Amino acid sequence: MTQAAQKIVLSPSRDIPFNKLVLSQSNVRRIKAGVSIEDLAEDIARRTLLQSLNVRAVLDAEGRETGMFEVPAGGRRYRALELLVKQKRLARTAPVPCVVRDSSDVSAEEDSLAENSQREPLHPLDQFRTFQTLREQGQGDEAIAARFFVTPAVVRQRLKLAAVSEMLLALYAEDELTLDQLMAFTVTNDHARQEQVWEALARSPYKEAYQIRRMLTEGAVRASDKRAQFIGPEAYEAAGGVVSRDLFQADDGGWFQDPALLDRLVAEKLAAAAETIAAEGWKWVSADVAFEYGHTHGLRRLASTNPLSDEEQAAYDALAQEYATLEETYSEADELPDDVDQRLGEIETALDAFDNRPPVFDPDEIARAGVFVSLDGSGDLKIERGYLRPEDEVEIEPDTEGGAPAATADADGDVQRTVITLGGAAQPGPEAEEEDDAIKPLPERLMTELTAHRTLALREAVGSDPDTAYLAVLHALALKTFYRFSTATCLELEVKHSTFGHQVPDLNDTASAKAIAARHEAWADQLPKDPGTLWQTLTGFDGDSRQALFAHCVGLSVNAVHQSWNQGGRMNHADALARAVNLDMAAAGWTPTVETYLGRVTKSRILEAVREGKGEREAQLIDHLKKGDMAKEAERLLAGSGWLPEPLRTSDEPPPAEPAEPAEPEALPAFLTADEEDEAASSDLEPDADDDHQAIAAE
């Protein structure tokens, strides 16, 4: 006969006044973790107690119940209730739901351990979806954040994760997709694109989060791009564009997903700006996102005047005097009073307004000159007015009746309208062919581009160093005098200010180009407009001014651009000049990017660059990647490292007296190799582990 199974009897539950409860020393939880007692108290105040306390009767020495109960399991809840009592938000005699355990059963320590260890943490996806449900019920991000003691940013992150494709969420629930990978998919809301990228990675052993982000944003334009800054996300989205954001990493404003739409908006806005400027009466306006370096070469810049009136000059002098007086009064002070600091700032702003007044041109010359309109590095309009082409160097007859300049007329006497041209930006050259084996010499075109950057930086450095500039010219003159057919100089002292035969993208935006342009403009303002009086002006300069102008002119003659048919002594002299001015191309602003170097060389060259700039370990991290991904990841690794390719390095050692035959690149000396430091781990704004596993219900 089969014995009947014994029925399970559950422990009874009852309400016990709070003042009859005491915290048991048998509670195994000793270390604080998870939600704080204060937050738990606020949660109980909002939702009341969601889980009963586990208690046992306190017995006296003879085993009789004393009417008090100890709490071996639920200590954090007890402390939260205790805090509410101290705050007088809960009565000391308030009934507390409790499960009363028989002291003859298992030990209190076992109950405490079982309650804490057998609790299954909430899967993060359940929390994400619960936040989504609360949002659908009408609760805002701030309200949800307040209820679960997280920041609104964390709520937005969780909601973004819950909005990923259901197929990917199912994979995440089955642990086939990591949280890092799931976060990477949030950079786009296009579920079809998310699934397409996952399928493309399905056969690959590498499914890193950065690869997912890169594939999802491939072809998109970063919000930090000057075109995107020129249009702005509001106007772009109003035109139907989509801006993707990454809530888990710094993304510089996200990505503009439709480059064609962005380019159309840029062209339209540039055209509108050109039309506005054309209304000033210019003969031509040329608008483009960016112009080639030296685009004004061969054009005459119109003289501009905008003199101050007597009243304006008096105001300017008064402000300058006030500024000087305040500076002298507080020159010994460790810190300026707030009102004085504010006043100095106001005076600086007012003086800048006087100093940077818009140029005023002769109306007669406006009708035969033009304007360049482009974008600077920040996406603001860059307007260069008053350039006269050689073919327009003719006089215009003034309008004798009206006193205004006569408009240019064609052969039939019809008024000529302003010619507006919209051009295309220079495109980078083709990538080097895929090459996995030996390290070969750099491509000719890349050598030309790299040395164009170096030439521009050398011009800036020599133009700032009168002593070296003077020595360079003396060297060139001695060569011409005593070594008639020598070409061992990189100075072109005919004197030629040559442009670059091969245009390099964005050369105008480099720090060297801007510094040269600013210095040139400053000297142009000091020199006479009539070349016949130039000699008298120069004789009036002091020695320092003459040397500074001399250095500037010499700097513009430097030509250290790579030419396969003209190397040897010329490039050796460029190296010597670079050493003399301590040229540092990294400090000059050159950085290795996909466009400037990494995407233009072989995989072996990329790995060599990372190995030299960051170390062997970082090179091994990317040696399995395809060429495109390797170049992009190498750009990230080398950012801020100061690494330079050989054509841009300045060696401490002079070259041999006799130039050697071209050879394969040798191993770099130790003093040119960057310190091999471990790369700092990327600080993704990942959800906190405690947040991910925080239960929705209060414990």
Side-chain angles (χ1 to χ4, degrees):
M1 182 176 179
T2 303
Q3 185 176 0
Q6 186 176 358
K7 300 295 185 183
I8 297 174
V9 179
L10 300 177
S11 299
S13 60
R14 55 184 282 200
D15 290 344
I16 300 175
F18 178 77
N19 61 352
K20 297 297 183 181
L21 301 174
V22 294
L23 192 60
S24 173
Q25 295 303 308
S26 301
N27 195 310
V28 299
R29 185 188 291 274
R30 307 291 187 196
I31 301 172
K32 295 181 179 180
V35 179
S36 70
I37 298 300
E38 292 78 9
D39 289 346
L40 184 55
E42 291 299 323
D43 194 78
I44 293 173
R46 181 181 294 114
R47 272 184 278 270
T48 76
L49 196 64
L50 299 180
Q51 185 177 351
S52 301
L53 303 184
N54 185 302
V55 302
R56 292 174 180 240
V58 177
L59 306 179
D60 59 17
E62 284 145 15
R64 292 191 299 269
E65 293 188 6
T66 62
M68 299 296 291
F69 295 84
E70 64 177 357
V71 184
R76 295 179 68 255
R77 278 162 278 155
Y78 172 84
R79 291 189 181 279
L81 292 169
E82 184 181 43
L83 178 60
L84 292 172
V85 170
K86 288 180 180 179
Q87 294 174 345
K88 300 188 182 304
R89 300 167 70 186
L90 180 71
R92 294 186 60 82
T93 58
V96 179
C98 299
V99 173
V100 183
R101 296 279 287 150
D102 191 335
S103 299
S104 63
D105 292 339
V106 295
S107 68
E109 288 83 359
E110 185 178 340
D111 276 358
S112 178
L113 179 61
E115 181 180 273
N116 286 285
S117 62
Q118 293 179 8
R119 180 187 301 127
E120 183 69 21
L122 189 69
H123 193 283
L125 183 55
D126 293 326
Q127 188 193 58
F128 306 160
R129 285 172 167 161
T130 303
F131 279 7
Q132 190 176 49
T133 299
L134 295 176
R135 166 76 78 79
E136 292 169 354
Q137 291 175 353
Q139 296 189 31
D141 297 348
E142 289 74 13
I144 298 173
R147 282 168 168 75
F148 295 97
F149 310 104
V150 295
T151 65
V154 169
V155 173
R156 287 190 286 272
Q157 287 177 339
R158 303 300 192 268
L159 291 170
K160 190 77 170 175
L161 288 165
V164 173
S165 162
E166 283 296 331
M167 183 198 82
L168 297 175
L169 291 178
L171 292 173
Y172 176 55
E174 297 298 326
D175 294 330
E176 295 182 30
L177 196 68
T178 67
L179 183 58
D180 280 345
Q181 292 169 329
L182 187 67
M183 290 190 297
F185 278 108
T186 65
V187 299
T188 179
N189 295 325
D190 187 342
H191 288 181
R193 179 62 179 150
Q194 291 172 349
E195 294 171 8
Q196 181 184 31
V197 167
W198 180 253
E199 290 171 3
L201 290 172
R203 293 180 295 277
S204 171
Y206 306 104
K207 301 181 180 68
E208 301 296 333
Y210 77 86
Q211 291 176 295
I212 296 172
R213 286 187 177 91
R214 184 168 296 150
M215 292 176 70
L216 288 172
T217 57
E218 190 172 14
V221 177
R222 276 198 173 274
S224 56
D225 186 279
K226 61 184 175 184
R227 293 170 295 165
Q229 293 186 70
F230 180 54
I231 297 301
E234 296 81 7
Y236 173 75
E237 289 176 325
V242 175
V243 179
S244 296
R245 297 300 309 269
D246 190 343
L247 298 183
F248 300 94
Q249 284 190 338
D251 62 5
D252 294 328
W255 296 267
F256 286 42
Q257 291 293 326
D258 191 342
L261 173 62
L262 178 62
D263 287 338
R264 178 173 64 81
L265 294 175
V266 169
E268 291 173 354
K269 191 171 180 180
L270 274 176
E275 289 284 357
T276 301
I277 295 168
E280 299 173 7
W282 300 98
K283 180 177 182 180
W284 53 266
V285 176
S286 182
D288 200 350
V289 173
F291 290 106
E292 297 175 340
Y293 180 76
H295 62 284
T296 60
H297 180 70
L299 306 183
R300 180 166 68 89
R301 183 76 183 272
L302 297 182
S304 64
T305 57
N306 195 358
L308 299 176
S309 66
D310 292 341
E311 295 79 4
E312 290 171 332
Q313 186 64 53
Y316 183 94
D317 293 341
L319 287 170
Q321 181 60 44
E322 182 184 356
Y323 192 92
T325 302
L326 288 173
E327 274 199 323
E328 182 179 357
T329 302
Y330 294 95
S331 60
E332 303 297 329
D334 293 334
E335 187 174 352
L336 292 175
D338 291 342
D339 58 334
V340 174
D341 188 44
Q342 179 180 352
R343 180 55 184 162
L344 286 174
E346 293 171 351
I347 296 174
E348 287 177 351
T349 302
L351 291 176
D352 284 343
F354 281 116
D355 291 334
N356 298 311
R357 292 155 62 88
V360 174
F361 299 98
D362 185 333
D364 288 342
E365 293 188 315
I366 287 179
R368 55 195 177 100
V371 183
F372 293 101
V373 181
S374 59
L375 303 181
D376 64 16
S378 300
D380 295 324
L381 273 179
K382 178 181 179 182
I383 304 173
E384 301 169 278
R385 291 181 172 87
Y387 285 91
L388 195 65
R389 293 168 174 166
E391 61 267 28
D392 296 325
E393 291 279 6
V394 292
E395 295 296 331
I396 295 181
E397 294 295 332
D399 183 350
T400 55
E401 296 182 1
T408 306
D410 59 20
D412 298 326
D414 296 327
V415 174
Q416 178 177 312
R417 297 178 57 83
T418 301
V419 177
I420 298 177
T421 58
L422 292 172
Q427 299 298 316
E431 293 186 354
E433 293 182 1
E434 185 71 21
E435 175 66 56
D436 293 318
D437 299 322
I439 295 179
K440 296 183 178 180
L442 295 176
E444 285 287 312
R445 181 167 181 146
L446 178 58
M447 281 290 293
T448 300
E449 291 191 7
L450 293 175
T451 52
H453 278 283
R454 192 186 193 215
T455 294
L456 197 61
L458 263 176
R459 288 180 178 180
E460 154 59 13
V462 172
S464 303
D465 190 337
D467 290 338
T468 301
Y470 189 90
L471 181 60
V473 173
L474 181 60
H475 169 261
L477 293 175
L479 283 175
K480 295 292 184 183
T481 303
F482 299 101
Y483 309 91
R484 185 172 180 183
F485 299 105
S486 173
T487 59
T489 179
C490 66
L491 269 57
E492 300 178 348
L493 289 179
E494 278 77 5
V495 170
K496 298 196 315 187
H497 296 166
S498 59
T499 58
F500 299 107
H502 170 67
Q503 291 299 333
V504 183
D506 294 328
L507 203 58
N508 268 324
D509 293 332
T510 62
S512 299
K514 292 177 181 177
I516 291 172
R519 188 170 61 226
H520 192 83
E521 188 71 25
W523 277 116
D525 291 341
Q526 297 183 55
L527 298 178
K529 296 176 175 57
D530 179 6
T533 60
L534 178 60
W535 177 258
Q536 291 85 343
T537 300
L538 294 180
T539 57
F541 281 176
D542 58 27
D544 290 342
S545 297
R546 292 181 193 172
Q547 284 196 332
L549 177 58
F550 178 83
H552 174 69
C553 295
V554 170
L556 290 179
S557 74
V558 172
N559 185 357
V561 176
H562 167 80
Q563 295 170 334
S564 58
W565 49 270
N566 185 14
Q567 297 301 306
R570 179 172 171 274
M571 296 308 290
N572 286 341
H573 181 236
D575 291 337
L577 206 56
R579 288 192 295 273
V581 295
N582 296 317
L583 181 67
D584 183 347
M585 287 302 298
W590 191 92
T591 56
T593 66
V594 174
E595 291 77 17
T596 60
Y597 183 83
L598 299 167
R600 317 278 295 282
V601 297
T602 63
K603 292 176 67 173
S604 298
R605 285 276 186 185
I606 298 173
L607 292 174
E608 177 189 49
V610 174
R611 191 175 294 113
E612 292 176 354
K614 298 297 292 186
E616 181 64 36
R617 187 181 70 85
E618 281 72 12
Q620 291 176 358
L621 289 176
I622 65 172
D623 61 6
H624 64 279
L625 299 178
K626 292 183 178 180
K627 167 73 175 296
D629 291 337
M630 180 186 289
K632 292 175 183 176
E633 189 61 14
E635 176 180 331
R636 183 185 68 81
L637 290 172
L638 291 173
S641 68
W643 180 87
L644 297 169
E646 284 188 63
L648 299 188
R649 298 174 187 172
T650 299
S651 171
D652 290 342
E653 298 295 331
E658 293 295 330
E661 291 297 321
E664 291 294 321
E666 299 178 356
L668 292 176
F671 63 83
L672 288 179
T673 306
D675 293 335
E676 295 183 359
E677 300 174 350
D678 289 339
E679 179 195 4
S682 59
S683 55
D684 287 7
L685 304 178
E686 297 179 3
D688 186 76
D690 290 336
D691 290 340
D692 288 340
H693 295 148
Q694 175 189 334
I696 298 298
E699 295 298 333

